[in-house]
C-alpha cells in the first residue's frame, strides 16, 4: 500500500493520494485554525508503517468534527 502525501506551503492543507486498484482516491483536509507540522527538509522526514499512517490519517480527518453539526 502506498500513499503519497502533500502539504501546501501555508501548512493548512493536507492531501493524500492512494491507488485502490480501480482508481485514485484523494483525501483532502483543510484546517481553519493552526497548521500541520510538516518536515521542512529531508532530515526531518520519518518513515512510518501502515498502522501508524492509518492512525495519523484518522486523527487528521476527525480533528474539528466536534465543532460541526451533522447535516
Amino acid at each position: 500500500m502506498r500513499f503519497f502525501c502533500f502539504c501546501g506551503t501555508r501548512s493548512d492543507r493536507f492531501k493524500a493520494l492512494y491507488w485502490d486498484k480501480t482508481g485514485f482516491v484523494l483525501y483532502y483536509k483543510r484546517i481553519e485554525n493552526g497548521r500541520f507540522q510538516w518536515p521542512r527538509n529531508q532530515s526531518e522526514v520519518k518513515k512510518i508503517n501502515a498502522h501508524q499512517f492509518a492512525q495519523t490519517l484518522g486523527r487528521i480527518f476527525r480533528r474539528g468534527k466536534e465543532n460541526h453539526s451533522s447535516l
Side-chain angles (χ1 to χ4, degrees):
M1 177 184 305
R2 287 193 175 171
F3 276 87
F4 298 91
C5 302
F6 309 91
C7 188
T9 55
R10 293 185 297 184
S11 300
D12 64 344
R13 294 173 178 97
F14 169 84
K15 296 171 207 99
L17 192 61
Y18 167 68
W19 175 259
D20 74 352
K21 297 185 182 178
T22 62
F24 282 102
V25 177
L26 175 67
Y27 297 97
Y28 178 83
K29 176 73 174 188
R30 179 181 157 271
I31 55 176
E32 294 184 22
N33 296 316
R35 303 209 182 278
F36 290 107
Q37 291 182 344
W38 203 257
R40 300 203 186 279
N41 57 52
Q42 191 64 30
S43 67
E44 293 180 0
V45 174
K46 297 189 179 5
K47 282 192 173 191
I48 59 175
N49 63 37
H51 178 72
Q52 291 168 318
F53 182 72
Q55 286 182 319
T56 302
L57 199 60
R59 283 193 302 267
I60 289 170
F61 286 92
R62 278 194 310 269
R63 183 179 177 179
K65 276 192 171 181
E66 63 277 356
N67 297 329
H68 300 282
S69 61
S70 298
L71 296 176

